[in-house]
Amino acid sequence: NPAVFTNLYTFRINITDDHLVQNASLAINGSMFNATRVGTTNNFEANVTSLGVGSHTYTWTAVDPSNNSNTTASSQYNVTPAGANVVFTLNGIATNVSASKGSTLTLFANVTNTTGTFDIILNGPTIASGTAPITVNNTFSAAGIVNVTAAFLGNQNFSAANKTFTVNVIDVQAPVFGGELITPANDSFFPSATYNFQRTVTDDVLVNNVTFQFDNVNRTATRIGATDVFEANVTTLAAGNHTYRWFARD
């Protein structure tokens, strides 16, 4: 005392009489439970079920063959909440996972030793709530680390409990090249002091860097303002045919 909530509680007491204890009983919260003698000892015990979290008042009463009886003073028995056994999986496994951006994962939450409600939480906001077991299919549309939590809200006899895993959402989409502008234009007459190459480059997250390779020489292209256009300049360019390529990373 105090005890953690369970489905069965056993109360035991030692009772003696100058002749014989004929029977004993336990009264708890106004309900009566018959007690049985433990072997040939003076100990008597009673089993109690459906005793919820809280403070409970109980007394013992014993009667001998002459119908003499005695009742104990009231005592308090306290029951505290039990821990919930929470099961939480991402695509069937209970661990941190990695997934490509745009992937849909199945989030499953259950509690095995009671009933109740779950909140499914992603990086703070609740995306779903429901009675256990609960299944949510969620698409992870942004790259980065996402904390996924199954929050059991608890009930009268079981404490609230959480389980959290992380999803490492990986960006697998390469940058995309768009339109190109060359000044002066291709097949222009020689000479020009500076040749300016511009290329639109987009990405679903962010273009990290762009390289312009001209005649096997790499140059770092720079972003023009806050646009998706990158440029590189080439000088002292001789007449003739030249090759170039663009490279981009996110």
Side-chain angles (χ1 to χ4, degrees):
N1 188 6
V4 175
F5 173 80
T6 184
N7 293 321
L8 179 66
Y9 305 84
T10 299
F11 290 75
R12 181 176 290 192
I13 192 172
N14 183 274
I15 307 173
T16 59
D17 186 77
D18 60 348
H19 178 56
L20 176 70
V21 176
Q22 182 168 291
N23 61 68
S25 60
L26 172 72
I28 185 164
N29 295 338
S31 297
M32 192 70 69
F33 298 87
N34 292 325
T36 58
R37 185 185 296 272
V38 180
T40 59
T41 70
N42 293 322
N43 295 323
F44 290 79
E45 67 179 19
N47 292 321
V48 178
T49 58
S50 303
L51 200 60
V53 169
S55 183
H56 307 275
T57 301
Y58 70 95
T59 59
W60 289 95
T61 298
V63 180
D64 67 11
S66 300
N67 209 34
N68 297 310
S69 66
N70 193 13
T71 300
T72 64
S74 296
S75 298
Q76 296 297 311
Y77 185 73
N78 298 308
V79 178
T80 60
N85 295 330
V86 172
V87 175
F88 185 39
T89 62
L90 310 178
N91 272 6
I93 57 176
T95 187
N96 302 326
V97 299
S98 295
S100 301
K101 189 170 68 70
S103 297
T104 298
L105 302 184
T106 298
L107 318 179
F108 173 80
N110 195 16
V111 58
T112 60
N113 58 344
T114 185
T115 58
T117 301
F118 275 92
D119 285 341
I120 304 299
I121 303 168
L122 262 65
N123 277 352
T126 298
I127 64 166
S129 298
T131 302
I134 179 173
T135 300
V136 178
N137 293 316
N138 186 77
T139 300
F140 293 82
S141 57
I145 300 297
V146 180
N147 293 312
V148 185
T149 300
F152 175 66
L153 303 185
N155 55 36
Q156 178 184 354
N157 297 316
F158 287 82
S159 300
N162 295 342
K163 275 196 175 181
T164 299
F165 295 119
T166 59
V167 179
N168 181 18
V169 185
I170 302 169
D171 176 20
V172 295
Q173 181 172 327
V176 176
F177 291 108
E180 183 179 62
L181 175 64
I182 304 174
T183 305
N186 200 359
D187 292 326
S188 293
F189 289 107
F190 175 84
S192 177
T194 302
Y195 300 83
N196 179 260
F197 294 78
Q198 297 182 8
R199 192 72 183 261
T200 299
V201 188
T202 58
D203 187 73
D204 58 340
V205 179
L206 175 70
V207 177
N208 191 48
N209 62 72
V210 175
T211 299
F212 178 67
Q213 185 185 86
F214 193 91
D215 286 346
N216 294 320
V217 176
N218 290 337
R219 294 169 172 82
T220 299
T222 58
R223 186 187 295 271
I224 299 176
T227 71
D228 292 324
V229 179
F230 292 77
E231 69 175 1
N233 293 317
V234 178
T235 58
T236 62
L237 190 60
N241 293 324
H242 303 272
T243 59
Y244 68 91
R245 298 176 66 185
W246 294 91
F247 302 88
R249 292 183 180 275
D250 58 13

